[in-house]
PDB file of all heavy atoms in Angstrom:
ATOM      1  N   PRO A 216     -35.001  29.834  18.157  1.00  0.00           N
ATOM      2  CA  PRO A 216     -34.382  29.244  19.339  1.00  0.00           C
ATOM      3  C   PRO A 216     -35.366  28.537  20.262  1.00  0.00           C
ATOM      4  O   PRO A 216     -34.962  27.700  21.070  1.00  0.00           O
ATOM      5  CB  PRO A 216     -33.726  30.438  20.035  1.00  0.00           C
ATOM      6  CG  PRO A 216     -34.407  31.641  19.487  1.00  0.00           C
ATOM      7  CD  PRO A 216     -34.813  31.292  18.100  1.00  0.00           C
ATOM      8  N   ASP A 217     -36.669  28.843  20.140  1.00  0.00           N
ATOM      9  CA  ASP A 217     -37.680  28.172  20.950  1.00  0.00           C
ATOM     10  C   ASP A 217     -38.007  26.788  20.416  1.00  0.00           C
ATOM     11  O   ASP A 217     -38.598  25.964  21.112  1.00  0.00           O
ATOM     12  CB  ASP A 217     -38.957  29.019  20.987  1.00  0.00           C
ATOM     13  CG  ASP A 217     -39.436  29.382  19.590  1.00  0.00           C
ATOM     14  OD1 ASP A 217     -38.874  30.327  18.999  1.00  0.00           O
ATOM     15  OD2 ASP A 217     -40.331  28.709  19.059  1.00  0.00           O
ATOM     16  N   GLY A 218     -37.636  26.511  19.166  1.00  0.00           N
ATOM     17  CA  GLY A 218     -37.878  25.209  18.568  1.00  0.00           C
ATOM     18  C   GLY A 218     -39.258  25.031  17.982  1.00  0.00           C
ATOM     19  O   GLY A 218     -39.520  24.041  17.292  1.00  0.00           O
ATOM     20  N   ASN A 219     -40.164  25.978  18.209  1.00  0.00           N
ATOM     21  CA  ASN A 219     -41.545  25.842  17.749  1.00  0.00           C
ATOM     22  C   ASN A 219     -41.842  26.626  16.484  1.00  0.00           C
ATOM     23  O   ASN A 219     -42.872  26.403  15.853  1.00  0.00           O
ATOM     24  CB  ASN A 219     -42.506  26.304  18.849  1.00  0.00           C
ATOM     25  CG  ASN A 219     -42.402  25.467  20.097  1.00  0.00           C
ATOM     26  OD1 ASN A 219     -42.289  24.247  20.020  1.00  0.00           O
ATOM     27  ND2 ASN A 219     -42.440  26.117  21.255  1.00  0.00           N
ATOM     28  N   HIS A 220     -40.971  27.559  16.154  1.00  0.00           N
ATOM     29  CA  HIS A 220     -41.225  28.414  15.002  1.00  0.00           C
ATOM     30  C   HIS A 220     -40.104  28.286  13.971  1.00  0.00           C
ATOM     31  O   HIS A 220     -38.951  28.051  14.319  1.00  0.00           O
ATOM     32  CB  HIS A 220     -41.348  29.879  15.442  1.00  0.00           C
ATOM     33  CG  HIS A 220     -42.494  30.130  16.352  1.00  0.00           C
ATOM     34  ND1 HIS A 220     -42.367  30.188  17.729  1.00  0.00           N
ATOM     35  CD2 HIS A 220     -43.822  30.328  16.094  1.00  0.00           C
ATOM     36  CE1 HIS A 220     -43.547  30.423  18.274  1.00  0.00           C
ATOM     37  NE2 HIS A 220     -44.442  30.509  17.307  1.00  0.00           N
ATOM     38  N   VAL A 221     -40.480  28.449  12.706  1.00  0.00           N
ATOM     39  CA  VAL A 221     -39.548  28.399  11.588  1.00  0.00           C
ATOM     40  C   VAL A 221     -39.593  29.747  10.891  1.00  0.00           C
ATOM     41  O   VAL A 221     -40.673  30.240  10.548  1.00  0.00           O
ATOM     42  CB  VAL A 221     -39.918  27.271  10.604  1.00  0.00           C
ATOM     43  CG1 VAL A 221     -38.982  27.262   9.399  1.00  0.00           C
ATOM     44  CG2 VAL A 221     -39.884  25.914  11.314  1.00  0.00           C
ATOM     45  N   LEU A 222     -38.422  30.357  10.699  1.00  0.00           N
ATOM     46  CA  LEU A 222     -38.359  31.685  10.094  1.00  0.00           C
ATOM     47  C   LEU A 222     -37.713  31.606   8.718  1.00  0.00           C
ATOM     48  O   LEU A 222     -36.694  30.931   8.536  1.00  0.00           O
ATOM     49  CB  LEU A 222     -37.570  32.654  10.978  1.00  0.00           C
ATOM     50  CG  LEU A 222     -38.253  33.023  12.306  1.00  0.00           C
ATOM     51  CD1 LEU A 222     -37.893  32.025  13.397  1.00  0.00           C
ATOM     52  CD2 LEU A 222     -37.883  34.434  12.744  1.00  0.00           C
ATOM     53  N   ALA A 223     -38.330  32.280   7.750  1.00  0.00           N
ATOM     54  CA  ALA A 223     -37.826  32.306   6.383  1.00  0.00           C
ATOM     55  C   ALA A 223     -37.521  33.750   5.985  1.00  0.00           C
ATOM     56  O   ALA A 223     -38.395  34.620   6.089  1.00  0.00           O
ATOM     57  CB  ALA A 223     -38.846  31.704   5.421  1.00  0.00           C
ATOM     58  N   VAL A 224     -36.300  33.989   5.553  1.00  0.00           N
ATOM     59  CA  VAL A 224     -35.859  35.325   5.136  1.00  0.00           C
ATOM     60  C   VAL A 224     -36.012  35.428   3.626  1.00  0.00           C
ATOM     61  O   VAL A 224     -35.455  34.615   2.881  1.00  0.00           O
ATOM     62  CB  VAL A 224     -34.393  35.564   5.547  1.00  0.00           C
ATOM     63  CG1 VAL A 224     -33.937  36.951   5.106  1.00  0.00           C
ATOM     64  CG2 VAL A 224     -34.214  35.376   7.054  1.00  0.00           C
ATOM     65  N   ASP A 225     -36.778  36.437   3.164  1.00  0.00           N
ATOM     66  CA  ASP A 225     -37.025  36.593   1.726  1.00  0.00           C
ATOM     67  C   ASP A 225     -36.463  37.914   1.235  1.00  0.00           C
ATOM     68  O   ASP A 225     -36.946  38.993   1.604  1.00  0.00           O
ATOM     69  CB  ASP A 225     -38.517  36.496   1.421  1.00  0.00           C
ATOM     70  CG  ASP A 225     -38.779  36.272  -0.053  1.00  0.00           C
ATOM     71  OD1 ASP A 225     -38.463  37.179  -0.867  1.00  0.00           O
ATOM     72  OD2 ASP A 225     -39.286  35.192  -0.421  1.00  0.00           O
ATOM     73  N   LEU A 226     -35.445  37.841   0.390  1.00  0.00           N
ATOM     74  CA  LEU A 226     -34.787  39.022  -0.169  1.00  0.00           C
ATOM     75  C   LEU A 226     -35.721  39.784  -1.108  1.00  0.00           C
ATOM     76  O   LEU A 226     -35.698  41.015  -1.148  1.00  0.00           O
ATOM     77  CB  LEU A 226     -33.515  38.592  -0.896  1.00  0.00           C
ATOM     78  CG  LEU A 226     -32.640  39.655  -1.535  1.00  0.00           C
ATOM     79  CD1 LEU A 226     -31.190  39.205  -1.535  1.00  0.00           C
ATOM     80  CD2 LEU A 226     -33.067  39.940  -2.983  1.00  0.00           C
ATOM     81  N   GLY A 227     -36.552  39.065  -1.866  1.00  0.00           N
ATOM     82  CA  GLY A 227     -37.394  39.704  -2.871  1.00  0.00           C
ATOM     83  C   GLY A 227     -38.526  40.529  -2.308  1.00  0.00           C
ATOM     84  O   GLY A 227     -38.889  41.572  -2.867  1.00  0.00           O
ATOM     85  N   THR A 228     -39.112  40.086  -1.173  1.00  0.00           N
ATOM     86  CA  THR A 228     -40.255  40.795  -0.602  1.00  0.00           C
ATOM     87  C   THR A 228     -39.874  41.652   0.598  1.00  0.00           C
ATOM     88  O   THR A 228     -40.758  42.227   1.250  1.00  0.00           O
ATOM     89  CB  THR A 228     -41.352  39.799  -0.173  1.00  0.00           C
ATOM     90  OG1 THR A 228     -40.829  38.940   0.850  1.00  0.00           O
ATOM     91  CG2 THR A 228     -41.830  38.959  -1.347  1.00  0.00           C
ATOM     92  N   ASP A 229     -38.586  41.731   0.922  1.00  0.00           N
ATOM     93  CA  ASP A 229     -38.119  42.512   2.073  1.00  0.00           C
ATOM     94  C   ASP A 229     -38.841  42.094   3.352  1.00  0.00           C
ATOM     95  O   ASP A 229     -39.256  42.938   4.165  1.00  0.00           O
ATOM     96  CB  ASP A 229     -38.324  44.009   1.840  1.00  0.00           C
ATOM     97  CG  ASP A 229     -37.415  44.563   0.744  1.00  0.00           C
ATOM     98  OD1 ASP A 229     -36.266  44.100   0.656  1.00  0.00           O
ATOM     99  OD2 ASP A 229     -37.867  45.445  -0.012  1.00  0.00           O
ATOM    100  N   THR A 230     -38.995  40.788   3.543  1.00  0.00           N
ATOM    101  CA  THR A 230     -39.807  40.279   4.645  1.00  0.00           C
ATOM    102  C   THR A 230     -39.172  39.049   5.278  1.00  0.00           C
ATOM    103  O   THR A 230     -38.574  38.226   4.579  1.00  0.00           O
ATOM    104  CB  THR A 230     -41.228  39.911   4.147  1.00  0.00           C
ATOM    105  OG1 THR A 230     -41.848  41.068   3.571  1.00  0.00           O
ATOM    106  CG2 THR A 230     -42.106  39.389   5.268  1.00  0.00           C
ATOM    107  N   VAL A 231     -39.316  38.930   6.598  1.00  0.00           N
ATOM    108  CA  VAL A 231     -39.003  37.694   7.301  1.00  0.00           C
ATOM    109  C   VAL A 231     -40.320  37.097   7.765  1.00  0.00           C
ATOM    110  O   VAL A 231     -41.068  37.734   8.526  1.00  0.00           O
ATOM    111  CB  VAL A 231     -38.072  37.930   8.512  1.00  0.00           C
ATOM    112  CG1 VAL A 231     -37.763  36.601   9.203  1.00  0.00           C
ATOM    113  CG2 VAL A 231     -36.783  38.614   8.072  1.00  0.00           C
ATOM    114  N   TYR A 232     -40.627  35.892   7.300  1.00  0.00           N
ATOM    115  CA  TYR A 232     -41.873  35.208   7.631  1.00  0.00           C
ATOM    116  C   TYR A 232     -41.645  34.239   8.788  1.00  0.00           C
ATOM    117  O   TYR A 232     -40.624  33.557   8.834  1.00  0.00           O
ATOM    118  CB  TYR A 232     -42.394  34.415   6.427  1.00  0.00           C
ATOM    119  CG  TYR A 232     -42.660  35.248   5.193  1.00  0.00           C
ATOM    120  CD1 TYR A 232     -41.624  35.581   4.318  1.00  0.00           C
ATOM    121  CD2 TYR A 232     -43.937  35.706   4.895  1.00  0.00           C
ATOM    122  CE1 TYR A 232     -41.854  36.351   3.187  1.00  0.00           C
ATOM    123  CE2 TYR A 232     -44.184  36.467   3.756  1.00  0.00           C
ATOM    124  CZ  TYR A 232     -43.139  36.782   2.907  1.00  0.00           C
ATOM    125  OH  TYR A 232     -43.374  37.541   1.779  1.00  0.00           O
TER     126      TYR A 232
END
Side-chain angles (χ1 to χ4, degrees):
D217 53 280
N219 298 319
H220 297 97
V221 177
L222 291 88
V224 180
D225 196 295
L226 181 150
T228 62
D229 292 324
T230 302
V231 181
Y232 301 83

